[in-house]
Structures are given as structure tokens and as C-alpha cells.
Amino acid sequence: MHTRSPATATATLACALLLAACAGGGESTSISGASVPVTVSDPTASATESSATEATPTTTASAQDLGVATTAADPICGNATVEGDEQCDDGNDVDTDECTSTCELAACGDGFVQPPEVCDDGNSDDADACSSTCQPAACGDGMIQPPEACDDGNQADDDTCTSKCALAACGDGFIQPGEACDDGNKVDADDCTNACALASCGDGAPQPGEQCDDGNKVDTDACLSTCLAAACGDGAAQAGVEECDDGNQSNSDECTVACKLPTCSDGLKSGKESDVDCGGGTCNDCNKGKACAADTDCVTGACVNGACNLPTACKQLKSGLPMTASGVYTLDTDGDGPKQPFDVYCDMTTDGGGWTLAGRSRNTPSNPGCAGTDNFNGFGWRTAAGSVNDDNQAYALDVAGKGVAFTQILFGNHAGTKAFAGSIYRHTVQANFIDVHINSHYSIGEPATVQGACGGGTTNMFNWIGFTGNTSSFHFRDVDGPDFGLFPTGWRSCYDTCVGGNINGLPGMIFVR
């Protein structure tokens, strides 16, 4: 260790000289520098001799000869002279310049802060507040110091260590690999989720514009795959809540506007129903006046102008209610028009059924001979006569006046009832047959045999139906000449000349359809 004071060194040397002198008794020894002259008095000399006036011989000896240890002078740090192992000596005690108070060159890590150092903690540890380069620890210096989690020596925020020396993480406000966004918050209800993904329907976090977001693409739960809250009418049936959902506001299909399956007691015109809880083939038939789409929708068996009403013909009744038995029924040929309803007899079995009775002779067969004239005025197809319920009297329906439309005519005998007995024939005629043939002689050609047959080639008697010159009458009888057709007493088969037939003189019936 260097001695810092010159005065202290001089005092030490003086003490050494005094000690050497004392060791020689009365003799004096002088030491100067490294070579110390010593005068030694002979201890055996007497006092007289010592006091003699002649010169006393002297002996000069070095400190080494005297057995005094001697060393070279130690370097003195601070004397402005570089000595010994000193690296420097600037003659001062200042540690903050280029030479320290221990005469060592200033260096980072010596514990003293010298320019250009900002700090010097006397160590080379980079993990404390002062780095091994004597600079204060800072984010971006490439060294991890508390409280840093990382330090990659750059100011980039898009890598694994941010410019704040924090490990990259979703929510740090910086977009790193694997992140689509990072808004620096933990709010899922904005444009960037807590998973650092761009907000989208199905990410499980409702954002502006979304009513809900359950994180799935299932449409049968409370939140649709469109992020709208499930509701009746959205087209997706919500499990456990809706029976159905067809996405429209119509009850006239398989799902009502209440998202329930249609029933015949829901108080709605639903499903295939033609009116509220009736018709459509799924519910009970509708009563008169209710809406309908087909005859089968109605209790009356007739759908007229879109509403259940009385049938316009026996054929319509047969169509609407196929199991309807033959009997007397009420028709209304113009629905709710000016014509009044009326009773008719309907044959629902012969030749497919649906036939309306237009004329019937009384149940008393007359003389089968030809009558010269017809004296039964008021009896006929247009003028009508008799009662439909009285089988003992002749009956004719005013088909034209009542507005009964037809394209087929059915002929045959009866045996006292309204049922055919014997041969039955069918003619097909043109529409508006009555209007076309009024005031004209008309022939409808060879009939088709429905049941039995007319023997002897006499079917030609049915080729002609009649003739009339009377504009107020049109019927199956000839009023102007030899008789032909149906009379109160039975069939007449004569036209111009009598032509006999096996139904001559028998009670007969005419039906139209």
C-alpha cells in the first residue's frame, strides 16, 4: 500500500537514527541518507582518555554494517509522480477524473463515476441498475434488469418483446404474430376481442350491431348464426320454444304466425283449412256460408263461388259428399243469386250417380197405343207439374226456369218408385241444349245403353227427343204432332208414325246431369 504523507516518512527515519545512537552509549552516530556515517567511542576508554585533547580517531560505517535494515522508498500516490506499480498519479485525491485517488486509471467498474460514465456500481453485473458499460439500466439496452420481463435491444413492438420490455401478449396494445388486432383493452364488445381477433359474428362476444353472440353457428338455440336473437318468424325453429318456424307471416301453411303447428281448434284459418278450424280435408266440414276451396270442404257438399252453400246440382253434391245416398235434396243453382232454392230428387248410384230427376210419368201405365194429341197442357220439362215426393203422380221439373245445367240425359222405366226398372239409356248432348234447340226439331242420335237393351231395333225411338213450336215450352214431348216422349201416363214412342218399343206404355223417368 502506498504511503500517502512525506512528513510521516521523515519522522520514521529520525526514530531509527535515534535508536541506533542510543545503542552506542556515549558515542554518537550520525546517519544520513542511505549511507549513515557513525562515530563510535571506545567503551573501554577511560574518562581521562576521553577527555584528552588530541583528536579521537573516528570510524565511518554504513547502516547495513550496523545491522540496521534499509529498503528503497515506497511510491507515494498523490505526489504527482508515477512510481512503482502506479498506473497514474495526478497529484490529487479526486476519484471522478481520469486518475483515481489510488493512482489507478479510471475504468467502468471501479466504483467511481467518471466521464462519460453515467453510473458505476463497481461490478460488471448487467442485471442491476447500472450495466457493465456504466450506463443506467434501460429498456432496449439488450440486458434484462428488474422490472423488465425481456429486453431484445430494439424498439420494435411486433416481435416477442415490446418496446416496453414486456413479453408480447394479447392486450398489450401491439399487434404481434398470431394476432389480427390488439386494442390494448380487455373489452370484448368493441372491434377487437380479448383474443386479439377481429370482431365477428360467432366469436362469442356481442359487438355493436349484434343482438347476441353465443360463439356457435347453431340456429336452434336462443342466438342465431346471424347474431340476432331467436324470434318467431326468423325461419329457424328454436328448440323447446317453437313448434315450427317457416319465416313468414302466413297461417295458411304448415306453421302459424305463432310458430305453432296448425290445429283444428287454434281459432285460426291455418294449415289447409278453408276457413277457421274447418275444411281443407283435415278438419270438420265447414257450415253454410264459410269459405271453401272445394265441395268437400262443406257440410252442404257444395262450394259455390268460394263459399259453402246449397249445391247447384246433384252432381255437385255427389262430388262434395261422395257417400251421399239417393234422395230429395235442396238445390240453389245460382248460390246467393235471385233464384230461390228448390227440392229435387238425386239418384246417387246409377251410372256413377249425380243425376237430377227432370221428369217422371205417373205410376199407372196407359194404353200403349199411340195418342193422337197431347191434352195435358202445363205438364212438361219447362212448365213443370206434380210433386217430386208423390210417386203416384206425374212429375216434371222446370229445368230451364230453375237454371239446372246439364250435358247428359238418362232415360229409363220405373216400377212405381224413383228407381229405374228395366233398360236404361244415356244421351250426351251439347251445353246449353235447351237454348240451342228451342223452337226446333231436335235429334240427339243413338243412345248409349247403360242397362239392358231395347230389342227389335227399336232404339231409334230414342234418337228423337221432341219438337216444339211453342216458345214458352220445352220438354221431352212433342206438342204439335204425333206424340213422342214422356207423358203423364207413360212413354210415347211415336214420331210421325208410330214406332213401337219395349218401353212403350210403361212408366218412365228422365234424369239430367
Side-chain angles (χ1 to χ4, degrees):
M1 188 68 180
H2 296 289
T3 301
R4 290 300 303 172
S5 173
T8 302
T10 303
T12 303
L13 179 61
C15 184
L17 293 175
L18 289 174
L19 288 174
C22 289
E27 296 179 0
S28 62
T29 303
S30 64
I31 299 175
S32 175
S35 177
V36 183
V38 180
T39 301
V40 181
S41 297
D42 184 0
T44 61
S46 63
T48 302
E49 291 175 340
S50 63
S51 58
T53 57
E54 62 265 17
T56 303
T58 61
T59 301
T60 302
S62 68
Q64 182 176 3
D65 294 335
L66 295 175
V68 178
T70 61
T71 60
D74 289 334
I76 300 173
C77 181
N79 61 5
T81 300
V82 178
E83 305 165 316
D85 60 357
E86 293 177 341
Q87 296 177 355
C88 60
D89 193 325
D90 56 2
N92 63 48
D93 290 331
V94 178
D95 285 318
T96 58
D97 54 14
E98 294 180 350
C99 187
T100 68
S101 62
T102 59
C103 290
E104 293 175 323
L105 291 173
C108 178
D110 58 13
F112 307 114
V113 179
Q114 300 100 358
E117 298 174 343
V118 180
C119 64
D120 194 321
D121 56 2
N123 63 52
S124 58
D125 188 357
D126 284 322
D128 54 16
C130 186
S131 72
S132 60
T133 60
C134 290
Q135 298 296 316
C139 179
D141 59 14
M143 296 171 284
I144 302 174
Q145 299 100 359
E148 298 174 342
C150 60
D151 195 321
D152 55 5
N154 64 49
Q155 294 297 306
D157 286 315
D158 58 357
D159 53 16
T160 57
C161 187
T162 71
S163 60
K164 296 180 180 180
C165 288
L167 292 173
C170 178
D172 58 17
F174 307 114
I175 301 175
Q176 291 101 7
E179 297 177 340
C181 59
D182 196 319
D183 54 6
N185 64 46
K186 291 297 183 181
V187 177
D188 270 328
D190 55 15
D191 292 334
C192 188
T193 71
N194 289 339
C196 288
L198 293 173
S200 64
C201 179
D203 58 19
Q207 289 98 12
E210 298 177 342
Q211 295 179 356
C212 58
D213 196 320
D214 55 6
N216 64 49
K217 294 296 183 180
V218 177
D219 283 323
T220 56
D221 54 14
C223 187
L224 302 180
S225 59
T226 56
C227 289
L228 296 176
C232 180
D234 58 23
Q238 186 178 354
V241 177
E242 299 171 340
E243 294 179 4
C244 57
D245 196 322
D246 55 7
N248 63 45
Q249 294 298 308
S250 173
N251 287 321
S252 299
D253 50 23
E254 296 304 317
C255 189
T256 71
V257 296
C259 290
K260 295 184 179 295
L261 297 173
T263 69
C264 296
S265 59
D266 55 17
L268 302 170
K269 179 183 175 297
S270 56
K272 297 179 180 179
E273 298 169 358
S274 59
D275 209 322
V276 177
D277 294 338
C278 69
T282 57
C283 301
N284 292 332
D285 292 341
C286 297
N287 292 323
K288 186 176 182 295
K290 293 286 188 178
C292 56
D295 295 336
T296 52
D297 291 333
C298 305
V299 170
T300 61
C303 181
V304 181
N305 299 325
C308 291
N309 211 326
L310 296 173
T312 58
C314 293
K315 181 180 180 180
Q316 184 181 40
L317 183 59
K318 175 69 174 179
S319 172
L321 301 173
M323 302 307 294
T324 301
S326 298
V328 176
Y329 296 94
T330 302
L331 302 183
D332 187 349
T333 56
D334 64 350
D336 293 325
K339 289 183 172 60
Q340 295 302 304
F342 55 94
D343 290 342
V344 297
Y345 178 81
C346 297
D347 182 334
M348 297 299 193
T349 58
T350 303
D351 195 25
W355 295 99
T356 301
L357 179 62
R360 178 182 181 278
S361 66
R362 67 181 182 175
N363 191 22
T364 302
S366 65
N367 189 322
C370 293
T373 60
D374 179 5
N375 296 318
F376 295 93
N377 294 324
F379 177 81
W381 195 355
R382 184 180 288 273
T383 58
S387 169
V388 69
N389 292 307
D390 187 356
D391 289 342
N392 293 316
Q393 297 296 323
Y395 165 76
L397 174 66
D398 185 2
V399 176
K402 297 295 186 182
V404 178
F406 64 93
T407 57
Q408 292 181 314
I409 302 170
L410 197 67
F411 297 94
N413 297 328
H414 70 85
T417 67
K418 296 182 180 68
F420 284 105
S423 298
I424 305 172
Y425 304 93
R426 180 183 65 246
H427 279 290
T428 298
V429 297
Q430 67 188 94
N432 302 319
F433 175 74
I434 296 175
D435 294 329
V436 172
H437 290 288
I438 195 168
N439 263 344
S440 67
H441 206 200
Y442 52 92
S443 168
I444 57 178
E446 187 79 12
T449 300
V450 175
Q451 176 179 299
C454 186
T458 58
T459 53
N460 62 350
M461 63 180 287
F462 293 107
N463 293 348
W464 298 91
I465 298 302
F467 173 83
T468 180
N470 184 349
T471 58
S472 64
S473 175
F474 189 91
H475 34 71
F476 285 114
R477 62 191 180 92
D478 182 6
V479 296
D480 294 322
D483 300 326
F484 172 82
L486 180 65
F487 286 79
T489 55
W491 287 107
R492 296 290 186 176
S493 58
C494 300
Y495 179 75
D496 294 334
T497 60
C498 283
V499 177
N502 65 356
I503 62 173
N504 258 2
L506 296 177
M509 294 187 295
I510 299 175
F511 285 81
V512 294
R513 182 175 69 183

